[in-house]
Amino acid sequence: MSIRILLVEDEPSIAEIVEFALANEGFQISWRALARDAEIELLATPYDLVVLDLGLPDGSGLELLKRIRRHSEVPVTILSARNAELDRVLGLELGADDYVTKPFSPRELAARVKAILKRTIRRDSAAPLSPSRQAANRTWFELDEDRARINFCGGPLELTRYEYLILKTLLAQPERIFSRQQLMDRVWSDPLASFERSVDTHIKTLRAKLREIDPERDPIRTHRGLGYSVRITD
Ligand code: CA
């Protein structure tokens, strides 16, 4: 269940930079150079976020944003060379979630996109993974909360209490990045009693157990300086 981002940008060199920065974070990127094509694509496919250039060959990105908002709440990050205050205010008033000015730092753009996704994905998937949703998505994991057990790719994991609680927490919101502190707050009844590093230790042993079942998949991702997330399907 990877996160899909639609990039609407007519300059190939800029599109390439954005695509690289976001793909590097594990996001799945589709690129459209025309407003018309982007609109058709958005009606056909659900996206988690749109990165939108304002100066497009076949119209203004603001116009496109206005049309998107008639039928969709998808988060929109405007990426524009125009730093006019009017554009910025208008963009945000029309329902954009963020406004990044060119030239931009690819890392900053990626961080801002991630921050928006963190907010919106938490809002959308606050409910824990239900068995029916697991089946529908054919995920790698099966969570049996009554027996405090987790299967991975059909094989039972032999987990310690903390490994189980960490994995269960990650699985409640796949792809969401949890900081070490957030994991500690959710898993340890007395977070002050243990050092942050022990999260790393448990993740390490957890990974080894996942590898024993499937050496290839490696579903837990480390986000340097941010924390951990879990992928539950290809
Ligand atoms: Ca442009």
Side-chain angles (χ1 to χ4, degrees):
M1 209 172 58
S2 68
I3 293 181
R4 304 168 64 100
I5 296 178
L6 180 64
L7 167 62
V8 192
E9 166 65 66
D10 60 310
E11 281 170 62
S13 59
I14 294 176
E16 211 171 286
I17 294 169
V18 174
E19 203 168 1
F20 182 78
L22 296 179
N24 208 24
E25 299 293 337
F27 303 135
Q28 206 180 314
I29 320 295
S30 301
W31 170 43
R32 295 291 181 276
L34 298 175
R36 189 185 55 231
D37 292 348
E39 197 176 3
I40 292 168
E41 176 64 15
L42 274 172
L43 288 171
T45 316
Y47 280 88
D48 297 294
L49 186 136
V50 177
V51 176
L52 179 62
D53 177 30
L54 289 192
L56 296 165
D58 64 334
S60 152
L62 288 177
E63 279 302 316
L64 176 59
L65 173 60
K66 219 188 281 178
R67 291 201 298 276
I68 291 173
R69 280 290 171 261
R70 285 188 201 138
H71 57 82
S72 168
E73 287 296 310
V74 64
V76 173
T77 296
I78 290 178
L79 186 60
S80 176
R82 312 197 298 214
N83 191 18
E85 199 189 343
L86 186 62
D87 278 344
R88 188 181 280 267
V89 170
L90 205 53
L92 297 174
E93 270 179 3
L94 286 173
D97 297 81
D98 201 0
Y99 196 107
V100 177
T101 310
K102 295 173 187 171
F104 58 95
S105 135
R107 284 180 67 179
E108 191 200 340
L109 175 68
R112 287 169 75 155
V113 161
K114 263 171 21 189
I116 292 172
L117 286 168
K118 222 167 168 176
R119 288 205 302 269
T120 53
I121 286 173
R122 188 177 313 161
R123 192 176 63 204
D124 293 346
S125 58
L129 214 57
S130 68
S132 60
R133 222 178 111 197
Q134 283 191 359
N137 289 332
R138 288 192 304 278
T139 70
W140 299 332
F141 293 94
E142 289 151 29
L143 175 61
D144 179 350
E145 282 195 72
D146 294 336
R147 293 191 298 151
R149 294 193 60 93
I150 300 175
N151 284 357
F152 175 56
C153 298
L157 288 162
E158 301 289 338
L159 303 176
T160 65
R161 172 181 151 76
Y162 288 129
E163 288 164 358
Y164 167 77
L165 290 172
I166 287 173
L167 186 53
K168 185 181 135 179
T169 304
L170 292 172
L171 286 172
Q173 287 166 269
E175 311 276 355
R176 171 184 162 185
I177 301 171
F178 288 88
S179 68
R180 290 176 179 80
Q181 187 60 50
Q182 286 168 336
L183 286 173
M184 284 180 59
D185 291 346
R186 285 167 173 75
V187 169
W188 273 265
S189 42
D190 180 7
L192 293 176
S194 42
F195 293 105
E196 241 185 71
R197 289 185 60 83
S198 61
V199 171
D200 297 343
T201 311
H202 292 292
I203 292 273
K204 200 171 158 192
T205 53
L206 191 48
R207 272 196 171 124
K209 290 176 182 179
L210 293 165
R211 253 198 316 273
E212 268 174 39
I213 294 180
D214 189 318
E216 301 297 317
R217 289 218 161 98
D218 199 18
I220 296 180
R221 282 194 66 192
T222 306
H223 303 266
R224 202 174 285 267
L226 294 172
Y228 298 99
S229 68
V230 70
R231 233 167 13 114
I232 60 166
T233 186
D234 280 314

